[in-house]
Amino acid sequence: MSTPGGPGAAVRWRSAMEAALYGPDGFYVRPAGPGPAGHFRTSVHASALYAGAVARLLRWVDAELGQPAQLDLVDVGAGRAELLTGVLAALDPRTAARVRPYAVERAARPEGLDARIRWTAEVPERVTGLLFANEWLDNVPLDVAEDGHYVLVAPDGTESRGGPLEDADRAWLERWWPGGGRAEIGRPRDEAWAAAAGSLERGLAVAVDYAHTRSGRPPFGTLTGFRGGREVPPVPDGSCDVTAHVALDACAGPGAVLLTQAEALTALGISGARPPLALASSDPAAYVRALASAGEAAELTSRSGLGAFGWLVQPVGVRAWPWDGPGGS
């Protein structure tokens, strides 16, 4: 750990992240600039296949619910609503007409956004449908601990030793991240997810994120930053994203399913298999399109990349999806 120093008062990491990401002119709320997509690449930005897979999952939920007159689709941490826009485009018109799409985001509504999309800073109440949080929980601010004490950080990223852990945080670490050393206290993520999933009356709540489980916690934590497409030191001054992987197993509620993105997207019909070579002779243009699609699918499902992301699927009043394909037994 660095020694104290640098300008500005040192505070706990949770407070520093909150100010850097969501305070005045924070990374996620400033109106100017390209938005999060200009700084890091998510599955949503990698391929339209991802939105298509979420649309298939929404149709499965719709069938489980008996095709209600209104079907909620809530995107938590919506960015510029790229995922919602893609899902709506992938749905058939009759289903899309019943969908109530919500973008939950603390930034201002983008100009020119589809008028159907409701823009809100809070998860709506009494949701019936699909609540989807793609790379949201990793930006829920948290504290960092080291050897039984909080880690403090100054605006320039300089760290110092803080006071001893509070009982609730110490208990969380003992249950979910034992062993001492440096750790990220995921209790705020557990609470944020419980509140979001608690808005569901019936349907599925899905969190997708960089993740780890109790048996494989990283010994030195995962706190880092991103700026302009590059990983950078996590300096909490608003100039970069500040993020840490998610202890998804700690977030999981009763009946939840944990799996990898590769497993989830494969079950949703995304395959990186190359198209048959015979297609190149019979329909060269179709072959090129299929080859490009296979390449995008391979990126989304790569077990050394995006495919290693964790999916937490929380059912409320429906099946947790049997994971052999929508509607499988």
Side-chain angles (χ1 to χ4, degrees):
M1 186 184 300
S2 302
T3 57
V11 298
R12 283 162 45 173
W13 263 108
R14 184 176 181 182
S15 296
M17 286 182 68
E18 177 67 31
L21 300 181
Y22 307 111
D25 200 37
F27 182 81
Y28 278 106
V29 299
R30 66 172 63 102
H39 296 277
F40 48 84
R41 180 178 173 85
T42 73
S43 298
V44 177
H45 308 126
S47 173
L49 294 174
Y50 191 76
V54 176
R56 286 191 287 278
L57 180 56
L58 179 62
R59 287 195 293 267
W60 183 86
V61 172
D62 187 31
E64 286 287 292
L65 295 173
Q67 297 184 329
Q70 291 184 323
L71 177 66
D72 294 323
L73 173 59
V74 181
D75 184 6
V76 186
R80 298 296 191 267
E82 298 96 334
L83 178 60
L84 282 175
T85 301
V87 172
L88 290 173
L91 293 171
D92 65 90
R94 294 177 64 180
T95 301
R98 292 187 292 109
V99 171
R100 291 190 300 186
Y102 294 88
V104 182
E105 182 57 68
R106 293 169 72 170
R109 182 187 182 96
E111 293 184 5
L113 185 64
D114 189 327
R116 292 175 294 177
I117 296 175
R118 296 159 170 83
W119 196 266
T120 175
E122 303 291 341
V123 175
E125 297 179 354
R126 303 172 65 87
V127 172
T128 298
L130 174 63
L131 182 144
F132 202 87
N134 186 73
E135 294 195 42
W136 167 57
L137 286 173
D138 66 296
N139 289 125
V140 172
L142 46 57
D143 278 312
V144 177
E146 191 164 332
D147 297 330
H149 287 73
Y150 292 106
V151 176
L152 306 183
V153 62
D156 67 352
T158 303
E159 291 186 340
S160 57
R161 183 184 177 94
L165 296 176
E166 297 170 4
D167 290 345
D169 288 337
R170 186 181 300 277
W172 189 92
L173 289 174
E174 289 174 352
R175 179 179 181 185
W176 293 111
W177 200 319
R182 185 179 174 101
E184 293 139 6
I185 304 170
R187 190 166 61 89
R189 277 98 179 267
D190 299 357
E191 294 168 353
W193 180 246
S199 70
L200 271 179
E201 292 196 327
R202 290 185 67 215
L204 282 185
V206 180
V208 182
D209 232 310
Y210 303 92
H212 46 65
T213 56
R214 190 178 187 277
S215 61
R217 301 286 189 231
F220 304 107
T222 61
L223 191 71
T224 190
F226 287 94
R227 182 192 303 116
R230 295 178 178 273
E231 189 169 6
V232 297
V235 178
D237 61 0
S239 68
C240 66
D241 182 26
V242 180
T243 176
H245 294 197
V246 183
L248 277 182
D249 51 341
C251 296
V257 174
L258 289 173
L259 65 163
T260 66
Q261 175 155 295
E263 293 168 330
L265 293 186
T266 298
L268 284 165
I270 290 185
S271 171
R274 292 175 63 91
L277 193 57
L279 184 62
S281 299
S282 62
D283 191 340
Y287 178 78
V288 171
R289 291 193 298 270
L291 196 62
S293 179
E296 294 176 3
E299 180 183 4
L300 289 172
T301 58
S302 170
R303 296 183 184 276
S304 60
L306 294 174
F309 273 44
W311 278 49
L312 164 59
V313 181
Q314 185 75 53
V316 179
V318 298
R319 293 181 292 162
W321 190 12
W323 301 112
D324 58 354
S329 59

